[in-house]
Amino acid sequence: MIESVRAYIKTIAEFMLFLIIIRMLATEKSRKYINFASGIILVLIAASPIMEIIGMPPETIMNNILNAAGIYSEYNEDFSLGETENALMPVFKANVEKSIQADIEGLGIICLNVDCGVSDDFERTGGIESVTAIIEGQSGGDEAENFIKRKYGVENVNIIYQ
């Protein structure tokens, strides 16, 4: 029991020492953010014995806070898109397709439809992987293809003449 109290006091003292050093190095603009973050951490440290008594370890509470804030924590290994990102992906894709269609029509080419493949991979979320455009007539496809490759950085561009 005495060892756990010593460890608790030692943790608070170490955090306060760390906080003093950080506050000395901080700029005037960043002090309010440091004060806010350190206040939350200090409350969690101070409440850790109570949380252990009620059966919820502080690591679980901190993990829940970080996940709710959208910050990756070391305890979270799930890199999949959340509900918000999945809901916004079709909107993003539609806007990209409209933009590409407007760009093609800006070249003087009649564009009937654009379909693009958008990545949902964690490293490239929102990256355009492929573009398929249906244009009217038999000319202008090469110009549109080169323009899309240059502007959007897409290697896989397919132009269909109709």
Side-chain angles (χ1 to χ4, degrees), residues 48-143:
S48 63
I50 297 167
M51 295 302 152
E52 287 178 11
I53 290 172
I54 64 172
M56 183 179 281
E59 293 84 14
T60 304
I61 296 169
M62 186 59 116
N63 188 28
N64 292 340
I65 290 171
L66 292 175
N67 286 334
I71 302 170
Y72 171 73
S73 76
E74 64 182 286
Y75 307 108
N76 186 3
E77 297 179 9
D78 182 20
F79 289 107
S80 62
L81 292 176
E83 289 179 23
T84 305
E85 291 86 353
N86 282 333
L88 294 177
M89 194 60 77
V91 174
F92 173 74
K93 182 179 179 208
N95 285 335
V96 169
E97 289 170 350
K98 279 185 200 176
S99 177
I100 292 172
Q101 187 168 0
D103 288 340
I104 292 172
E105 290 176 351
L107 296 171
I109 302 167
I110 298 172
C111 183
L112 302 173
N113 188 25
V114 173
D115 183 38
C116 65
V118 180
S119 175
D120 62 355
D121 178 26
F122 180 73
E123 295 293 325
R124 290 203 53 207
T125 300
I128 303 169
E129 294 181 331
S130 64
V131 174
T132 301
I134 301 173
I135 63 172
E136 189 174 280
Q138 297 296 320
S139 63
D142 291 337
E143 182 182 4

Side-chain angles (χ1 to χ4, degrees), residues 6-77:
R6 283 185 188 168
Y8 177 69
I9 293 172
K10 182 180 176 186
T11 302
I12 292 176
E14 288 173 346
F15 178 72
M16 296 305 285
L17 181 64
F18 172 74
L19 191 57
I20 289 170
I21 294 169
I22 293 295
R23 285 187 179 174
M24 286 183 354
L25 298 174
T27 63
E28 192 64 38
K29 290 183 178 180
S30 65
R31 283 201 178 133
K32 64 181 176 182
Y33 302 110
I34 291 171
N35 289 339
F36 177 73
S38 62
I40 290 174
I41 294 170
L42 190 58
V43 166
L44 289 173
I45 290 172
S48 63
I50 297 167
M51 295 302 152
E52 287 178 11
I53 290 172
I54 64 172
M56 183 179 281
E59 293 84 14
T60 304
I61 296 169
M62 186 59 116
N63 188 28
N64 292 340
I65 290 171
L66 292 175
N67 286 334
I71 302 170
Y72 171 73
S73 76
E74 64 182 286
Y75 307 108
N76 186 3
E77 297 179 9

